[in-house]
Amino acid sequence: VQPPEKPLQAEEWNRLRESFQSPEIFEEVMLDSMVKCNSPIDVAKSLLTHVAKSNGDIAYKLLVRYLILCVQQRQTSEILDVYDIMKSRFKILENGAYTLLIRGLSNSDQWRMALTILEEVKKIMIPSRTQYECCIKAASRHQEMNLAFELYHEMLAKDLVPTLDVLQAFFDFSRGMKGAELQKELFGILLYLRENQLCPHKTFMRSIKLWFESIPERNWRGHLTNIKESGQCPVCSRQLEDSSLTEEEYNNLREKIIRDVIHGTDTFRKTSPQEFEAFQKFVENRLPFDVVIDGLNVSHVNARKMQCENLFNAVNYLAKKNTRLLVLGRKHMLSNSSNWKREIMQEMQNKADFFFAENISEDDAFLLYATLRSGKHCKFVSRDFLRDHKACLSDSLTRHLFRKWQLIYWVMSKKMLFSVFIQQPALRYDCVVQTTGDTWHIPYKDIFEEKYSYRVPRKWLCIQQK
């Protein structure tokens, strides 16, 4: 439906409606089209006026569509009018409408109304990340940093994960502002990045640099650099934190993963206690392994090849290095199908130990158990990030050690020509935000990555106090 360019009279709307093939949804389709074409507000208003005169009121879904158009065009007074209508007619709105109202008002001079609506939302549900972040940005824009941080801490307390975008806004809007409390809060955000192993992108890194350099009378200077292989910063000569795990750290991590992840929850272990017990006995009788392979995961590394061929390439490559291999498989791999040839499977079983789990089992717990029980030298091959398991760990220090362990012991299978298996050379230094008090070292990436990535950042921002 092509929306009209100017407001129409009642009979003109009626004619259009009658010529439409599904008259009962004409208004919805027309408003959707107006949103798409970003039609003038008075055209949409004339349609709603016509509906109100014909039906006596305007349906909720039409009001929401009109609200989308108003937010799109930053029509503050119209947003407030729609809010008044909705409030008088409906006791509670659905979450999408609240988000639209908060987004629309937070970008206007009526931004405090967005806070009022956020308070309304809190009475009936946990506000969404978007709702919080719109209000945080509005408060920051108006230099109300205490309020912005109050909302930020509230959001974290509700287990809502902030976007890098809103974290960047804190640095952008605090530039040049004084106050020890404000500095403490912003240092807290940098430590949040460290705790969660988050890596800022280039524009966020620049905001951090500019904020440091704008702090009155503190004389911070930032330099972009590449850290030497030894882990020494060429700018300030500081040595970055070591990436390897001590014996004590490794043993603590192993105990916590076996307690919290493997025995502590069934959320990620879709397997029977009997099967897991059988697996533990199997492992204990054959320890230690040098490499544990997530067989099903690796079998999908190259879609052009048979799954058993992909796995065979991996086993063959690693067996040549005289390593003791454990492959975690599934029972369907023994079925002699088009993807799983019996003779190839038999040849692989001469080169590695195989454990075949039920087809419905999740093998992450098996992978973690076998690798950690084998000892500090054992690596695992998978394309999986094991994010869910990291989330199960009870404290940030253990989560940090888990990530370090992953980076050192995880051989990531890459889809490459000839399915060659590569391993990132283990770096001697840890790639997280770190500070000594008078220096900060912040790894960053050239591009924005919303998805979690294990690509190690090579570029760093070194900030030091002169």
Side-chain angles (χ1 to χ4, degrees):
V1 177
Q2 190 60 38
E5 287 173 20
K6 57 182 196 312
L8 301 184
Q9 297 300 320
E11 57 275 15
E12 293 172 302
W13 280 122
N14 281 332
R15 267 201 304 277
L16 271 180
R17 191 178 195 274
E18 282 155 20
S19 66
F20 187 64
Q21 56 189 14
S22 306
E24 69 283 358
I25 56 163
F26 167 74
E27 289 81 8
E28 287 170 49
V29 175
M30 178 58 80
L31 279 165
D32 284 339
S33 186
M34 287 180 186
V35 168
K36 207 173 179 181
C37 302
N38 204 20
S39 296
I41 281 290
D42 56 352
V43 176
K45 224 171 169 178
S46 82
L47 173 61
L48 290 190
T49 306
H50 168 63
V51 169
K53 283 179 180 168
S54 308
N55 304 344
D57 67 2
I58 302 164
Y60 181 86
K61 51 192 170 188
L62 296 185
L63 284 171
V64 170
R65 283 167 168 83
Y66 178 62
L67 185 56
I68 294 169
L69 189 64
C70 296
V71 171
Q72 203 167 281
Q73 296 185 12
R74 300 193 169 204
Q75 299 276 351
T76 308
S77 59
E78 289 299 316
I79 294 169
L80 289 167
D81 286 350
V82 174
Y83 176 51
D84 286 340
I85 294 167
M86 285 179 146
K87 217 167 49 165
S88 64
R89 286 193 38 213
F90 311 103
K91 209 171 185 180
I92 292 174
L93 313 183
E94 43 80 50
N95 205 27
Y98 282 126
T99 302
L100 280 169
L101 289 163
I102 289 171
R103 181 179 281 149
L105 293 169
S106 64
N107 283 320
S108 74
D109 56 354
Q110 296 290 319
W111 65 277
R112 286 190 185 278
M113 270 303 292
L115 297 172
T116 305
I117 296 169
L118 184 70
E119 289 305 315
E120 249 178 70
V121 175
K122 282 184 209 172
K123 289 173 191 167
I124 48 175
M125 64 182 100
I126 292 176
S128 69
R129 171 167 82 175
T130 304
Q131 290 165 351
Y132 266 113
E133 292 199 345
C134 285
C135 293
I136 288 170
K137 283 184 186 171
S140 302
R141 248 194 315 272
H142 293 86
Q143 305 280 285
E144 298 246 5
M145 299 315 293
N146 289 346
L147 173 59
F149 275 109
E150 197 182 306
L151 292 167
Y152 166 69
H153 290 301
E154 207 175 278
M155 182 182 169
L156 292 181
K158 289 178 165 60
D159 288 331
L160 295 169
V161 179
T163 58
L164 292 183
D165 188 42
V166 82
L167 298 180
Q168 184 184 335
F170 280 114
F171 288 91
D172 285 337
F173 294 114
S174 300
R175 213 173 288 163
M177 288 175 75
K178 287 185 177 182
E181 196 52 42
L182 177 68
Q183 276 181 46
K184 191 178 156 196
E185 289 283 16
L186 288 158
F187 287 161
I189 289 179
L190 294 175
L191 294 175
Y192 174 86
L193 295 178
R194 174 190 167 84
E195 262 186 37
N196 294 280
Q197 292 97 47
L198 294 169
C199 191
H201 45 84
K202 197 187 265 181
T203 52
F204 185 6
M205 175 277 295
R206 283 205 188 106
S207 297
I208 295 169
K209 181 178 183 290
L210 289 170
W211 172 72
F212 267 103
E213 292 174 344
S214 78
I215 300 173
E217 298 146 19
R218 291 301 295 272
N219 212 11
W220 290 95
R221 282 289 160 268
H223 299 273
L224 308 188
T225 187
N226 294 311
I227 303 294
K228 293 175 186 174
E229 291 227 342
S230 63
Q232 190 184 46
C233 172
V235 179
C236 66
S237 301
R238 292 269 188 187
Q239 189 68 28
L240 295 194
E241 292 170 29
D242 195 345
S243 66
S244 60
L245 297 174
T246 64
E247 207 65 47
E248 191 185 353
E249 284 175 331
Y250 182 83
N251 291 334
N252 283 344
L253 180 67
R254 179 171 65 187
E255 278 170 33
K256 283 190 177 173
I257 289 179
I258 288 173
R259 188 191 69 205
D260 294 355
V261 178
I262 295 169
H263 294 311
T265 175
D266 274 335
T267 316
F268 306 109
R269 173 154 51 90
K270 298 188 183 79
T271 177
S272 67
Q274 293 82 358
E275 183 182 45
F276 199 72
E277 210 173 294
F279 173 70
Q280 283 176 297
K281 276 184 189 158
F282 174 91
V283 168
E284 297 301 324
N285 289 335
R286 290 165 178 78
L287 283 174
F289 298 103
D290 299 313
V291 180
V292 180
I293 301 173
D294 182 343
L296 197 60
N297 188 297
V298 169
S299 72
H300 289 96
V301 78
N302 188 340
R304 291 184 196 152
K305 292 188 174 181
M306 276 191 302
Q307 287 172 25
C308 63
E309 203 181 338
N310 284 326
L311 186 55
F312 179 77
N313 287 345
V315 169
N316 216 20
Y317 175 80
L318 291 162
K320 279 176 189 165
K321 298 179 176 292
N322 294 321
T323 46
R324 291 210 57 232
L325 305 178
L326 168 62
V327 180
L328 300 172
R330 301 288 171 86
K331 286 191 173 166
H332 73 261
M333 293 177 176
L334 298 167
S335 61
N336 197 26
S337 60
S338 58
N339 255 317
W340 297 100
K341 299 290 178 202
R342 186 167 289 147
E343 61 276 15
I344 298 177
M345 289 301 294
Q346 278 167 349
E347 197 179 334
M348 276 195 275
Q349 286 175 76
N350 293 332
K351 298 181 178 194
D353 281 303
F354 271 74
F355 183 87
F356 296 99
E358 293 295 338
N359 294 325
I360 55 156
S361 299
E362 281 282 351
D363 47 20
D364 285 1
F366 295 86
L367 182 82
L368 285 168
Y369 183 82
T371 309
L372 288 161
R373 280 295 292 123
S374 291
K376 211 174 160 195
H377 71 288
C378 184
K379 291 181 164 50
F380 65 97
V381 180
S382 176
R383 293 184 299 161
D384 194 349
F385 286 160
L386 307 176
R387 278 193 209 92
D388 293 335
H389 304 291
K390 187 177 145 206
C392 279
L393 295 166
S394 51
D395 59 282
S396 61
L397 177 63
T398 310
R399 287 195 291 272
H400 181 69
L401 291 178
F402 183 66
R403 182 193 143 277
K404 274 170 90 166
W405 174 76
Q406 265 182 294
L407 285 179
I408 300 164
Y409 298 101
W410 179 44
V411 182
M412 184 174 62
S413 51
K414 287 247 182 178
K415 185 177 170 182
M416 295 173 74
L417 220 51
F418 312 116
S419 288
V420 173
F421 283 76
I422 62 137
Q423 181 188 353
Q424 289 183 334
L427 292 173
R428 291 187 194 172
Y429 54 90
D430 199 5
C431 285
V432 288
V433 172
Q434 31 196 289
T435 182
T436 60
D438 59 350
T439 67
W440 284 85
H441 287 92
I442 299 164
Y444 69 94
K445 293 180 180 173
D446 278 331
I447 51 159
F448 171 73
E449 285 178 345
E450 183 63 72
K451 280 190 174 174
Y452 195 80
S453 164
Y454 276 99
R455 261 183 300 192
V456 176
R458 299 291 181 175
K459 297 181 176 182
W460 288 73
L461 168 65
C462 165
I463 301 166
Q464 55 180 327
Q465 223 169 356
K466 291 291 183 195

